[in-house]
Amino acid sequence: MAPTTISEIHRLEGQEAHLRGWVYNTRSSGKLQFILVRDGSGVIQAVASLKNVGEELFQELGRLTQESSLEVWGMVKADPRAPGGFELSITRAKIVQIAQEYPISPKEHGIEFLLDHRHLWLRSSLQHAILRVRAEVIRSAREYLDDHGFLNMDTPILTPAACEGTTTLFQVEYFEEFSFLTQSGQLYNEATAAAFGKVYSFGPTFRAEKSKTRRHLTEFWMLEPEVAYAGLNDIMELEEKLIEHIVGRVLERRAEELKRLERDTSKLEKVKAPFPRLHYADAVKRLNEKGVDFQWGGDFGAPDEAVLTEDYETPFFVHRFPSQIKAFYMEPDPADPKHCLSVDCLAPEGYGEIVGGGQRIADYDLLLERIREHKLPEEAFEWYLDLRRYGSVPHSGFGIGVERTTAWLCGIEHVRECIPFPRTIYRMKP
Ligand code: 4AD
Ligand code: MG
């Protein structure tokens, strides 16, 4: 009999199943032992009765500790009261390893302790739910782009220059030279978009952010679409449709996990395109009306963004930020060149920015001027300037942060729980 998984066990109702997993919990009452088994796909209660398994195995099962590994065979019974709706009546079992005393117990642990034991903490049901939502964010985003004519074109991680400003670069020795860990695949996406039209990259990005906030990691994952012949409005439309799709899929395919997270899904049901659009200058006005001391020309911090989210139930766009606070490649707004054709998408319920993007400078002379103004090393951008020498077109794109999106959808506070092994200013272990 081939082994099955707990998520597939309903197919074997009334038959014998073979499971391979770990002990989540045990409880015994006289001649019965209840073993909660998890296998990564779910949790099931397996019941051993002295009568069915015999004295020897019954004793052996009594030695099982939390997180011991075992293979178990048994009859599958539907039981509406059981978690998952099924129960296993054990006929046979093979203990693979008796686990040592497991450090994570149901009692409350401090966050530092849990992060130190992240390699084990991943096995707990809440972390499980979060990381399964994360996987669905990635799957559904790629699914949407793959189905809409985008080509996945990955970009290098070792790069010769900064994309998002020189202050947050990680420098890496590269033989006789230095390179930098990528902050964003964007510049390369611009090249592949000129080659293939509609592309996206997906990968880890790195920022030496000194910020110790609930939404900053030093290593995070970004999905970055880039489209040739697209302007700011085109890219906002793509963004809202993509986000609507991601949220719909997570609601559909990760309902169990959202329930485990006690997420108020009625809030997510409201996420339908189009999203409201707010000019930066109007966002500043709105902040001032709400009593926040904020002046034109500043960049929004998390608290400012949280105040702006009070006005909306869905994600919304803030567009046309001042050029002075945005990256060198942002196309100026022809209607008012102090502003640029940039856009952030802010998630509601206080979450704030989950996507950043905009329209890129298409003109060679202006781009060169900006590279010089920002004191960027010109020779490292020679290839990037080529894109403006040979068939330059208007083009736009954005980057959606996987961990911030996951935190919002799960309704949890901190991005550090939204990636299997978080890296922050204070932590790169385990
Ligand atoms: O707004 P950002 O910096 O935009 C870019 O990197 C563009 N080059 C992307 C593009 O246009 N192709 O970052 C995009 C998103 C943010 O909205 C946020 O979700 C996430 O990446 N992000 C972070 N997530 C976790 N920790 C950090 N330190 C992050 N910095 C950005
Ligand atoms: Mg940003």
Side-chain angles (χ1 to χ4, degrees):
M1 185 194 352
T4 187
T5 59
I6 294 168
S7 61
E8 295 294 319
I9 202 123
H10 58 275
R11 296 175 197 272
L12 293 174
E13 190 187 340
Q15 302 173 46
E16 193 178 44
H18 171 195
L19 292 174
R20 301 183 292 188
W22 296 263
V23 173
Y24 210 50
N25 211 341
T26 56
R27 168 167 77 80
S28 74
S29 76
K31 297 187 161 113
L32 288 177
Q33 286 184 48
F34 302 92
I35 305 164
L36 218 45
V37 177
R38 62 164 195 92
D39 74 346
S41 79
V43 176
I44 193 169
Q45 176 159 279
V47 185
S49 74
L50 179 58
K51 180 162 75 47
N52 286 354
V53 302
E55 185 69 38
E56 194 184 341
L57 180 56
F58 195 79
Q59 292 296 335
E60 217 182 314
L61 291 174
R63 293 167 46 227
L64 286 172
T65 52
Q66 189 185 352
E67 288 304 321
S68 289
S69 38
L70 86 162
E71 294 194 45
V72 61
W73 290 257
M75 298 303 291
V76 180
K77 288 198 296 197
D79 180 353
R81 292 159 310 166
F86 292 90
E87 202 180 74
L88 197 73
S89 173
I90 299 180
T91 51
R92 193 148 70 89
K94 190 172 113 197
I95 294 174
V96 180
Q97 194 232 356
I98 298 283
Q100 297 181 21
E101 195 181 340
Y102 193 62
I104 302 179
S105 57
K107 75 166 199 270
E108 286 274 309
H109 295 282
I111 184 68
E112 288 307 318
F113 178 88
L114 290 169
L115 285 168
D116 285 341
H117 293 86
R118 183 63 174 169
H119 49 295
L120 302 177
W121 189 24
L122 295 175
R123 301 180 188 189
S124 78
S125 68
L126 216 51
Q127 297 307 310
H128 225 253
I130 296 167
L131 293 173
R132 289 170 75 94
V133 170
R134 173 196 167 93
E136 187 55 42
V137 167
I138 296 168
R139 173 184 175 191
S140 57
R142 297 187 63 140
E143 173 184 82
Y144 184 88
L145 295 170
D146 289 340
D147 288 348
H148 287 81
F150 284 77
L151 201 62
N152 176 210
M153 277 288 140
D154 288 318
T155 52
I157 287 172
L158 293 168
T159 60
C163 177
E164 293 300 316
T166 48
T167 54
T168 65
L169 283 173
F170 279 115
Q171 187 170 300
V172 184
E173 263 183 53
Y174 195 76
F175 306 107
E176 259 70 82
E177 293 175 78
F178 285 104
S179 76
F180 305 100
L181 295 180
T182 185
Q183 297 165 313
S184 157
Q186 180 196 320
L187 306 186
Y188 295 93
N189 288 338
E190 293 180 53
T192 57
F196 298 95
K198 301 206 289 186
V199 296
Y200 71 93
S201 61
F202 173 59
T205 45
F206 305 85
R207 303 210 186 155
E209 307 252 27
K210 300 246 163 62
S211 345
K212 191 193 159 204
T213 75
R214 60 172 187 82
R215 56 183 205 166
H216 283 93
L217 296 165
T218 53
E219 178 178 305
F220 61 97
W221 288 67
M222 227 192 328
L223 194 118
E224 299 180 84
E226 189 75 27
V227 186
Y229 288 103
L232 183 65
N233 283 329
D234 302 313
I235 220 70
M236 286 197 265
E237 279 171 27
L238 174 64
E239 248 175 88
E240 63 200 5
K241 286 190 195 131
L242 176 66
I243 292 170
E244 181 187 276
H245 179 82
I246 295 171
V247 175
R249 285 292 194 245
V250 167
L251 282 168
E252 182 188 316
R253 294 177 179 155
R254 292 289 169 252
E256 284 287 310
E257 285 76 7
L258 295 175
K259 210 161 108 194
R260 174 66 187 87
L261 289 157
E262 294 171 30
R263 181 64 165 112
D264 178 356
T265 49
S266 68
K267 297 223 160 79
L268 300 178
E269 308 275 358
K270 294 188 179 130
V271 179
K272 299 280 177 223
F275 298 160
R277 290 161 195 215
L278 190 62
H279 190 290
Y280 169 88
D282 294 324
V284 173
K285 237 184 257 162
R286 190 69 191 121
L287 281 177
N288 295 154
E289 279 164 19
K290 296 186 123 220
V292 180
D293 181 22
F294 189 96
Q295 285 181 359
W296 187 97
D299 202 358
F300 301 132
D304 307 312
E305 290 185 358
V307 171
L308 290 173
T309 71
E310 290 166 5
D311 289 347
Y312 303 94
E313 293 200 299
T314 68
F316 60 99
F317 295 115
V318 179
H319 57 84
R320 295 180 168 79
F321 287 80
S323 300
Q324 66 191 48
I325 54 167
K326 285 288 178 186
F328 73 97
Y329 52 72
M330 292 287 189
E331 184 78 273
D333 181 0
D336 178 1
K338 285 199 309 303
H339 294 259
C340 60
L341 300 178
S342 52
V343 61
D344 280 3
C345 183
L346 276 59
E349 302 174 72
Y351 280 92
E353 184 192 341
I354 55 169
V355 187
Q359 187 170 332
R360 327 304 189 185
I361 291 175
D363 180 69
Y364 175 87
D365 294 320
L366 179 60
L367 185 61
L368 182 61
E369 193 182 309
R370 286 292 153 82
I371 287 172
R372 288 179 178 159
E373 267 171 34
H374 284 253
K375 300 198 165 50
L376 295 168
E378 239 172 277
E379 72 287 352
F381 287 91
E382 262 309 307
W383 70 269
Y384 187 61
L385 284 159
D386 266 357
L387 306 176
R388 278 70 180 173
R389 288 189 183 101
Y390 306 111
S392 188
V393 296
H395 61 286
S396 307
F398 60 85
I400 175 163
V402 169
E403 292 77 19
R404 287 196 193 171
T405 304
T406 304
W408 161 51
L409 295 180
C410 290
I412 62 169
E413 213 186 315
H414 211 298
V415 291
R416 69 190 161 203
E417 287 176 57
C418 297
I419 185 165
F421 295 97
R423 300 287 175 254
T424 61
I425 174 170
Y426 296 122
R427 177 177 293 278
M428 44 164 228
K429 279 188 205 155

